[in-house]
Amino acid sequence: MSSTIHNISIDCHDTYALAGFWAQVFDCPRQPDDFPGDPEAMLLPPGGPEVLFIAVPEGKTVKNRLHLDLQPADRTRAEEVERLLGIGATFVADHVGPTGGGWVVLADPEGNEFCVLGNAAERAAAAAARAAAAVAEPA
């Protein structure tokens, strides 16, 4: 038998505030027993593993070794990036290619990077454009 992901843990300074940001990202509520100043906060996003926020004394100093890749379900990548910037994310980098594939890197309010991919239709269109470009290239 294999293992499954029970939760993803994110170290942070303010568990309640950061859980509040990610609650808006995932469109799910904070847990009713989480309060400001708590050493831990938990989210239960629909369809995903639990996301646990753990208070640590040290700040983030380098690029994340692990990050989340988000794929919008009901809007385009550009619309999702705009929404996330509106709720407190910051822009880090744009890695969208000429065929529309790629991702946009954002950071949460404590500086943890995450990526926003295209939605399923955008990803399929980018793959088709890459395949068409590969066929059109001379050998």
Side-chain angles (χ1 to χ4, degrees):
M1 180 173 203
S2 65
S3 294
T4 59
I5 297 173
H6 180 265
N7 65 271
I8 297 170
S9 299
I10 300 175
D11 292 347
C12 59
H13 286 288
D14 187 337
T15 61
Y16 189 78
L18 200 57
F21 169 81
W22 285 100
Q24 291 181 73
V25 171
F26 297 134
D27 193 22
C28 69
R30 289 186 190 102
Q31 294 302 295
D33 58 347
D34 289 335
F35 296 98
D38 283 352
E40 294 182 354
M42 176 74 73
L43 296 178
L44 306 170
E50 298 171 352
V51 181
L52 176 64
F53 301 87
I54 302 171
V56 297
E58 66 276 359
K60 181 180 173 301
T61 58
V62 297
K63 183 180 182 292
N64 301 5
R65 296 289 302 252
L66 173 76
H67 69 268
L68 302 178
D69 287 346
L70 306 179
Q71 179 175 308
D74 59 353
R75 59 184 57 101
T76 67
R77 175 182 39 231
E79 292 167 336
E80 182 66 350
V81 167
E82 184 177 330
R83 181 182 82 86
L84 297 173
L85 291 171
I87 63 171
T90 56
F91 176 83
V92 175
D94 186 339
H95 295 282
V96 176
T99 61
W103 59 94
V104 175
V105 182
L106 302 178
D108 71 18
E110 289 203 15
N112 301 300
E113 295 95 358
F114 61 96
C115 296
V116 182
L117 310 174
N119 65 27
E122 290 172 314
R123 291 168 58 95
R130 283 192 307 275
V135 169
E137 288 183 18

